[in-house]
Amino acid sequence: MSDDFNRLIKEDRERRKHESFRGTFLDYLNIVKENKDVAMLAHERMYRLITEPGTEVVKTEDDPRLRRIYGHDIIKRYRFFADDFFGIDKTIMEIVRYFHSAAMRGEESRQVLYLVGPVGSGKSSIMESLKRALENSPPIYALEGCPMREEPLHLLPKHLRPEFERILGVKIEGDLCPICRYRLINEYKGEYEKFGVVTVDFSVRSRKGIAVVPPVDPNNQDTSVLIGSVDISKMDLYPEDDPRVLTLNGAFNAGNRGIVEFIEIFKNDVEYLHTIITATQEKSIPSPGKGPMIYFDGIILAHSNEAEWNKFKSDNTNEAILDRIVKIEVPYCLELDQEVKIYRKILRQSKFDAHIAPHTIEVASMFAILSRLNPSNKVDIMTKMRIYNGEEIVQKDAQPRIDIQELREEAGKEGFKGISTRFIMKAIDNALSESPHNCINPIIVMESLIKSVKATDMPDDEKQKLLGYLKDTIKKEYHRILEKEITRAFIHGYREQAETLFNNYLDHAEAFVNKTKLKDKNTGEELEPDEKFMESIEAQIGLTGNAAKGFRHDVTSYMFSLLRNKKKIDYESYEPLREAIEKKLTASVREISRVITSARVRDEEQKRKYDAMVEEMKRNGYCDHCCNVVLKYAANNLWRD
């Protein structure tokens, strides 16, 4: 084992030695001539880090679910963010758009990237991913001994830059910091080609290229945190404008060529933020004492909640800073499927090894989404959640088709209030910690959420609304899911029966729409479409009359579109038809399911069917304990007379 450790250490050391460089500015010029990318600015470096893993352009016209959510908008997904962020595709696109424009040295390269949103929406996590990317990026070349790790091309005098730009193929901007200028004149006698150049990496902990500025106590705000200070101990030795008295260790000095992050930026007094004005538009920061302005090339990131933003922007005297901000909203996720992925990701990163019953995370996610939605006059809150999730909602008699865009316009600003991801995870963690059987299920999690809501300090009307979702809306939805789950496990060959119903319905619907007859495979006789059979399925989702006939047209055209795109067709292809078929199967065995599940004493035949059902549920993800719990719950709650 010690040999393995030794090998890993030596390989890492050799790799780092190979990546390191120490030479002169003349050596560096030859490197730039071979690869001009080494001299890229901070925003371009970050844009490359984000886009290099790959970009997927999603064609919404090929995906009905995404088309229902985004319409005909072009959606880009970046692999850089793919494993960590869910349900905020448009926010991610805005962030990447900012870096793209900034990389081209557009106006965004001279502006702050500011993220605003509710607590737990992912603002800090996005910032962390950007800092982590920079830490894992290749080293950059910098002037040896420079406190700001500045670009070596700053050594070139202004009158020679056009010629060097032509030879190297790069645009040179920026000037030497006071300390390097002093060294060039006094140590190198102006011979800049001999100035030392080294490779340096990025590190949050070491404040190398990444600086983090937390909120500062208003009574103790000192700009030295941002721009460094004057070393008083050297004032007796040198004049106060001598570069040797400067200590350039502020956030903007440390974050040069990388990132300066302001946490909860608007909790600071505005006077403290004045450095941002010149750091953005003029790309320069004040030096401590009486020194000249210092060139700054870095990404300024900031984030806070919406209340702080509204308070700051309401003051007209803050216009100078507001004009230098690119504001991007980071709302809560409003897609159920994506919300589920968030909790699964967090649980994977934890050390909990308990069994989690099917639909447990889904039920918790439903509560989170419902709490974030504004009520609608057009649909009930559960239907709205399904529409936002991209599910197909059928049109009933005398009801207009519900468009997601209409719901968004009706709701106004959405996703900026409600239950946070952290709240849900704490409730799940509590359920996991308190579980005596190392297993949690939807029932336990709903109880944990109810306790958490009751213990939360919030207005009574809001608390009652949330408890209503848990005790009524979500509970009814879980009953529907559980009944379907038990039925699925109870019916032998459930999928085969569902596929048979689906194929029969499709044959009759196609004949009805095309006004043709069906040919019996056995007798060869031609038959009229069986409307009673179709109505028996359509009635399961409340369709009658013209709505049912319209549904047949919708199903037929949808299946033809799948065929054209060479996609698989089965009973799950069209969500409303799948729901109707499953409800019909459920209805056909509901009574016997109720009897067998509820019976305390079963005969041999009932016991055989019950045991088969339990085995099927265990194959579908239930353990012995949670299977026993949900079946007892079903017996007590699902089939009451």
Side-chain angles (χ1 to χ4, degrees):
M1 184 61 72
S2 60
D3 290 341
D4 291 337
F5 294 148
N6 194 41
R7 177 179 56 80
L8 285 171
I9 293 168
K10 285 184 176 180
E11 286 177 357
D12 177 68
R13 188 168 292 145
E14 285 300 316
R15 185 169 60 251
R16 290 179 179 275
K17 189 185 297 182
H18 179 71
E19 290 175 352
S20 65
F21 168 85
R22 182 180 296 275
T24 66
F25 178 59
L26 196 59
D27 298 326
Y28 176 68
L29 287 174
N30 288 315
I31 292 172
V32 176
K33 189 175 181 182
E34 292 296 320
N35 178 17
K36 63 182 181 180
D37 288 347
V38 300
M40 72 178 79
L41 300 183
H43 287 91
E44 184 178 0
R45 185 178 301 109
M46 182 56 68
Y47 178 69
R48 296 275 189 96
L49 291 172
I50 291 171
T51 55
E52 277 176 358
T55 305
E56 176 192 6
V57 179
V58 180
K59 295 181 179 179
T60 54
E61 62 268 21
D62 294 340
D63 190 324
R65 177 182 175 274
L66 291 178
R67 187 169 63 248
R68 288 191 286 269
I69 296 173
Y70 298 113
H72 297 289
D73 292 349
I74 295 173
I75 302 299
K76 290 183 179 179
R77 287 179 174 160
Y78 301 90
R79 291 193 182 93
F80 177 87
F81 295 104
D83 296 332
D84 295 308
F85 300 96
F86 307 96
I88 54 170
D89 287 335
K90 290 206 168 182
T91 297
I92 296 295
M93 286 170 61
E94 286 187 62
I95 291 170
V96 179
R97 195 179 300 127
Y98 162 86
F99 280 111
H100 186 201
S101 178
M104 304 297 288
R105 305 196 187 190
E107 182 60 25
E108 279 82 351
S109 66
R110 299 172 185 274
Q111 300 222 317
V112 177
L113 175 62
Y114 169 66
L115 304 185
V116 59
V119 295
S121 61
K123 303 184 298 295
S124 299
S125 297
I126 291 172
M127 298 292 188
E128 288 301 317
S129 69
L130 298 177
K131 291 187 291 186
R132 191 164 54 247
L134 208 51
E135 283 192 301
N136 294 328
S137 67
I140 58 172
Y141 294 87
L143 292 179
E144 186 174 13
C146 177
M148 295 185 62
R149 304 146 44 87
E150 64 184 305
E151 166 59 55
L153 292 177
H154 292 177
L155 288 166
L156 289 170
K158 293 285 179 67
H159 68 278
L160 284 180
R161 287 189 181 184
E163 185 64 17
F164 274 92
E165 287 177 347
R166 184 187 63 78
I167 296 170
L168 299 174
V170 299
K171 176 70 176 174
I172 303 170
E173 67 171 60
D175 295 299
L176 288 173
C177 74
I179 292 176
C180 288
R181 182 176 296 279
Y182 178 88
R183 292 180 59 211
L184 173 62
I185 295 169
N186 292 278
E187 290 182 28
Y188 292 94
K189 309 303 179 187
E191 296 178 344
Y192 51 84
E193 70 277 12
K194 296 180 180 178
F195 207 114
V197 174
V198 295
T199 48
V200 292
D201 56 9
F202 294 89
S203 170
V204 174
R205 279 189 303 176
S206 303
R207 293 183 87 235
K208 295 194 295 185
I210 304 173
V212 180
V213 185
V216 180
D217 181 357
N219 298 317
N220 191 31
Q221 289 186 349
D222 185 351
T223 56
S224 65
V225 173
L226 302 180
I227 62 171
S229 60
V230 172
D231 188 344
I232 299 175
S233 66
K234 295 180 180 178
M235 293 290 285
D236 291 339
L237 301 174
Y238 312 110
E240 60 180 320
D241 60 348
D242 192 304
R244 286 173 291 184
V245 304
L246 301 181
T247 303
L248 301 183
N249 60 358
F252 281 101
N253 310 125
N256 186 47
R257 303 188 73 192
I259 288 172
V260 178
E261 177 193 7
F262 286 84
I263 299 172
E264 294 294 337
I265 183 171
F266 297 128
K267 282 185 167 59
N268 297 296
D269 283 348
V270 66
E271 290 79 8
Y272 183 70
L273 304 177
H274 282 169
T275 305
I276 290 175
I277 296 175
T278 56
T280 51
Q281 209 62 34
E282 287 77 30
K283 296 194 76 169
S284 61
I285 57 172
S287 63
K290 295 184 178 180
M293 299 292 283
I294 301 174
Y295 174 79
F296 170 77
D297 166 40
I299 303 161
I300 305 176
L301 304 177
H303 52 96
S304 73
N305 59 53
E306 197 168 18
E308 298 283 356
W309 164 255
N310 290 332
K311 179 182 175 183
F312 186 82
K313 75 173 183 177
S314 65
D315 188 343
N316 293 333
T317 62
N318 295 332
E319 287 180 350
I321 295 178
L322 288 169
D323 191 50
R324 289 163 168 80
I325 287 176
V326 174
K327 172 178 168 261
I328 296 177
E329 294 182 339
V330 186
Y332 286 132
C333 173
L334 297 179
E335 291 178 46
L336 178 62
D337 290 351
Q338 299 299 312
E339 186 76 7
V340 169
K341 291 179 182 178
I342 292 172
Y343 302 121
R344 293 201 185 283
K345 178 200 78 172
I346 297 171
L347 285 167
R348 282 197 303 270
Q349 295 170 347
S350 73
K351 290 187 176 181
F352 284 112
D353 61 351
H355 177 258
I356 300 176
H359 310 297
T360 303
I361 306 302
E362 185 180 355
V363 162
S365 301
M366 282 182 197
F367 176 59
I369 300 294
L370 291 183
S371 75
R372 300 165 186 171
L373 297 179
N374 294 334
S376 170
N377 294 322
K378 300 177 185 294
V379 291
D380 63 83
I381 197 77
M382 185 60 74
T383 301
K384 183 175 182 178
M385 183 193 74
R386 287 176 175 154
I387 292 172
Y388 275 31
N389 197 41
E391 297 176 27
E392 181 70 47
I393 304 298
V394 297
Q395 185 178 3
K396 308 283 179 72
D397 278 337
Q399 287 186 354
R401 183 175 290 276
I402 303 300
D403 179 67
I404 192 171
Q405 194 56 40
E406 291 178 14
L407 291 177
R408 287 173 178 156
E409 289 173 2
E410 176 197 30
K413 198 166 187 178
E414 224 168 10
F416 285 83
K417 61 180 182 178
I419 293 299
S420 72
T421 304
R422 296 188 189 117
F423 183 98
I424 299 293
M425 276 311 307
K426 282 188 281 188
I428 293 174
D429 289 349
N430 288 339
L432 285 164
S433 300
E434 295 171 6
S435 171
H437 300 279
N438 203 35
C439 168
I440 62 170
N441 55 64
I443 303 148
I444 290 174
V445 165
M446 279 192 283
E447 289 174 356
S448 180
L449 286 167
I450 288 170
K451 287 180 185 176
S452 298
V453 170
K454 287 180 177 178
T456 302
D457 184 16
M458 64 173 66
D460 287 342
D461 57 342
E462 181 69 15
K463 189 175 290 190
Q464 291 308 312
K465 182 184 80 171
L466 296 177
L467 290 173
Y469 287 153
L470 287 165
K471 294 179 179 180
D472 182 55
T473 311
I474 294 173
K475 190 174 185 180
K476 286 177 180 175
E477 179 64 13
Y478 177 59
H479 287 181
R480 185 187 71 81
I481 292 170
L482 183 57
E483 184 174 27
K484 184 171 71 175
E485 189 100 302
I486 292 172
T487 303
R488 186 191 294 264
F490 181 79
I491 302 176
H492 178 70
Y494 177 92
R495 187 172 188 90
E496 289 80 358
Q497 292 191 41
E499 292 290 357
T500 299
L501 276 176
F502 168 75
N503 289 323
N504 286 341
Y505 180 87
L506 206 56
D507 288 341
H508 287 276
E510 185 180 353
F512 175 85
V513 168
N514 296 325
K515 297 180 180 178
T516 58
K517 293 185 177 182
L518 289 161
K519 193 171 185 178
D520 188 281
K521 294 179 181 178
N522 297 315
T523 65
E525 62 181 320
E526 291 188 334
L527 305 170
E528 293 290 336
D530 189 343
E531 291 203 52
K532 286 189 176 181
F533 165 69
M534 289 186 285
E535 288 168 359
S536 71
I537 291 179
E538 293 152 356
Q540 302 298 324
I541 50 175
L543 296 177
T544 57
N546 290 330
K549 292 174 182 177
F551 180 72
R552 295 166 198 171
H553 283 271
D554 290 344
V555 170
T556 305
S557 61
Y558 187 84
M559 296 306 161
F560 275 122
S561 72
L562 291 182
L563 279 174
R564 282 195 302 271
N565 290 299
K566 297 180 180 178
K567 291 191 175 180
K568 181 184 176 183
I569 293 178
D570 58 23
Y571 94 95
E572 295 180 329
S573 298
Y574 191 61
E575 179 63 31
L577 183 55
R578 183 183 81 164
E579 183 183 350
I581 288 171
E582 288 179 340
K583 281 188 173 181
K584 184 169 177 63
L585 284 174
T586 301
S588 68
V589 295
R590 178 179 282 116
E591 183 59 25
I592 192 168
S593 298
R594 182 184 70 81
V595 170
I596 290 180
T597 305
S598 304
R600 295 181 182 275
V601 180
R602 303 181 182 93
D603 59 30
E604 284 300 318
E605 179 62 15
Q606 288 176 334
K607 185 177 184 307
R608 185 185 65 78
K609 288 183 176 180
Y610 181 84
D611 291 344
M613 177 181 65
V614 169
E615 287 303 312
E616 182 62 24
M617 290 186 72
K618 286 162 68 174
R619 277 193 290 271
N620 291 333
Y622 290 89
C623 69
D624 286 322
H625 172 71
C626 65
C627 185
N628 184 48
V629 169
V630 299
L631 288 176
K632 285 181 178 177
Y633 179 86
N636 295 330
N637 292 274
L638 289 193
W639 298 297
R640 289 181 176 176
D641 295 328

